Structure formats: C-alpha cells, structure tokens
Amino acid sequence: MTIAAVERALKVLEALSGEPGGVDLSLLSARLDLPFSATHRLLATLVERGFVSQDAATGAYGLTLKLAQIAFRDLDLRGLPDAGQIVLDALARKTREYCRLAVVEDENLVWIARAQGATAGLRYDPPMGAEIVLHATATGKAWLASLPEADALRIVCARGFRAGGPNALSDVDALRSHLAETRQRGVALAVEEGEIGTVAMAVVFRAGPAPDAAIAGTLSVAGPMPRMSEERRGPIAQALREAAQEMAAIWPLRRRQMQSPVRPAPRSQPQPEFQAGTSA
C-alpha cells in the first residue's frame, strides 16, 4: 500500500468518526474529494479488516468498535489513567465538578482520564474523544502559557483560530494577552470560550517533583456557568494547584505501571446525564 493510500484510509476513518448513523458512499466521496471508485475500494478494505461496517438497510458506512478497542488496549498497557486517577478523583470530590487529565503528546494535548464530581443538578460531561482546541480551552491555554511565547503562537497559528464558544479568541493579540494573564495568575480560565454556558479552569503539572521537570500534562475543572461563579474560582484554583503538586509527585509511578505485568481492572465511568463539548 502506498503512502497516499494510507493517508486516504486514515482520512476515511477520521471522516466516519462522530457519525453514529454512518455516511453514504457518495456523500463520503464528496466530503473527502476522492473518486467514487477509490472511496469504495478503501471502504471495502476497511470493512474486510473490521474497522468499518456497512448497514444492510441503508447502505451507510460507519466505524466499528475496533479502533476504540485498540485505543483502550494501548492506554491500559501504558498505565496512563491509573497513575493519576486517585488525584483526579480527589480533585473531583473537592470541587464537585467535572475534572480531566490530559497529557502532552508532541505538540498537542490528549485527554486520558476523567472524574465526575457533580452529584446533583446539571452535570457537564463532554466526550473524551473530542479534540482539544488549544486557544479556546482552559486546558489548552494552561499548556500554551507554559511554553515560550513564540512556540505557543506558532502552534496555534499553524492550526488556525477555529470557532468555539461566543468568547473564543480569534487573533494573535488576544491570545498573547490571555497567555500573559494565565502566567501571572498561574491558572488558565476559559469563560464560554469552548462553548456557551460553560466555565473551565486548568493548570499544568510536571513529570516529577523537581521544579525543572518537564511539563507532563494538565488538570482541568469545568462546569456550568451558574455553578462556576467568580466566588468559587478562587477555591477551585487552589484545589487545582494542590492537585498539580500531588500529580507531579505520583507521576513517576507511570513508568513502573508500564513495566508491571499486572494491570488493575478498568474503572467504571459514570453515565453522563447530558453530553456537551470541549470547554475544559
């Protein structure tokens, strides 16, 4: 298989993600700007390999669970969620909001673990598979603020200022100002930037307790705007700072988890009452 064919196959998988009802062949071909016959051949191969299935009634193509199985198998072997889940659970209990753990991967962030702290009323519970839009989330801004400014601006500009919530940043000057505020405050804040009606806060944590250890990832707290009031943001910021210190202390256990042949059983996740977007 050529590099071009591999790239096309990956584009097909990406196009089918987030399409629970599947996509018609002709529509998929048009979306990807690929010839009908080439799209059909790619889909036939992916069906044969078990990554895609075709609905017998509608003819639409959709992803199977094989990709999810591979992803979770990889996470389980890495031991990533387990290393910080205790800290994440404690943060969720303390803040009574939705908390997430993201790790740095090249020039990107990926969510790998979550904990729901809301016990009553409206619960913010977005999908874990969504992309982290760096300039429009507290998680993204926390990490960007830890980088040299030139690197942070380069990364965001390369991706573009895509639309988010009503307050999403839309230019370099606004981003530069927000990152400066984040560095001074020590905690990133996103008020209706990822999506309407939500507020998120985030901090980075290091790969070890040493002050010069590399940035390993972020911790975030997010919830509905009525609960994430200005009065609550101070205590939440302090809880995030403390959790970041605890995470840095426990993070070296990740290496030992990766080397251990015995894996803990997967944690059960609470069922969301509603699903929202990516403000955290």
Side-chain angles (χ1 to χ4, degrees):
M1 182 178 288
T2 65
I3 294 177
V6 172
E7 184 177 0
R8 287 179 172 184
L10 292 174
K11 286 183 177 179
V12 170
L13 294 175
E14 290 174 348
L16 292 178
S17 66
E19 295 282 357
V23 181
D24 180 75
L25 173 58
S26 59
L27 178 58
L28 185 62
S29 174
R31 283 185 183 177
L32 298 175
D33 194 24
L34 291 175
F36 187 92
S37 58
T39 306
H40 184 266
R41 288 195 300 271
L42 288 169
L43 287 168
T45 300
L46 291 170
V47 168
E48 183 180 353
R49 296 292 299 171
F51 289 95
V52 172
S53 63
Q54 185 178 23
D55 189 286
T58 66
Y61 290 88
L63 293 181
T64 67
L65 293 176
K66 188 170 184 177
L67 276 177
Q69 291 171 342
I70 292 173
F72 281 116
R73 186 189 310 154
D74 182 60
L75 280 177
D76 186 48
L77 289 174
R78 291 173 183 239
L80 289 173
D82 306 319
Q85 192 69 54
I86 295 174
V87 176
L88 198 63
D89 288 344
L91 179 64
R93 288 193 300 269
K94 186 178 293 186
T95 61
R96 305 187 306 280
E97 296 295 352
Y98 183 70
C99 301
R100 278 197 278 195
L101 165 64
V103 294
V104 177
E105 191 170 84
D106 296 325
E107 291 190 338
N108 202 3
L109 289 169
V110 180
W111 279 306
I112 63 165
R114 63 181 174 179
Q116 179 59 265
T119 57
L122 189 64
R123 294 203 310 181
Y124 177 74
D125 213 335
M128 287 286 285
E131 178 187 0
I132 300 177
V133 182
L134 298 178
H135 72 279
T137 59
T139 292
K141 289 195 291 182
W143 177 60
L144 290 172
S146 73
L147 302 175
E149 185 178 89
D151 289 343
L153 298 180
R154 172 183 57 79
I155 291 170
V156 173
C157 289
R159 302 180 185 192
F161 287 87
R162 288 169 289 172
N167 296 330
L169 306 182
S170 58
D171 58 65
V172 170
D173 289 338
L175 176 60
R176 184 182 286 114
S177 175
H178 270 243
L179 296 185
E181 292 174 3
T182 299
R183 294 186 195 98
Q184 183 176 10
R185 187 170 49 228
V187 177
L189 175 66
V191 180
E192 291 193 301
E193 292 180 44
E195 62 186 304
I196 191 169
T198 60
V199 176
M201 303 175 69
V203 296
V204 294
F205 67 89
R206 297 185 179 274
D212 59 346
I215 299 296
T218 64
L219 291 166
S220 64
V221 176
M225 183 176 288
R227 282 208 307 267
M228 295 285 288
S229 62
E230 292 188 14
E231 290 76 16
R232 289 194 66 208
R233 292 174 197 171
I236 289 175
Q238 182 59 31
L240 277 167
R241 294 187 189 98
E242 293 172 357
Q245 292 179 347
E246 294 170 2
M247 191 67 78
I250 202 174
W251 199 247
L253 292 175
R254 171 189 173 191
R255 294 185 180 87
R256 273 174 275 181
Q257 286 184 326
M258 292 173 66
Q259 295 168 357
S260 173
V262 180
R263 312 305 314 163
R267 294 179 56 84
S268 60
Q269 296 292 349
Q271 294 299 313
E273 294 180 4
F274 82 102
Q275 286 201 339
T278 58
S279 285

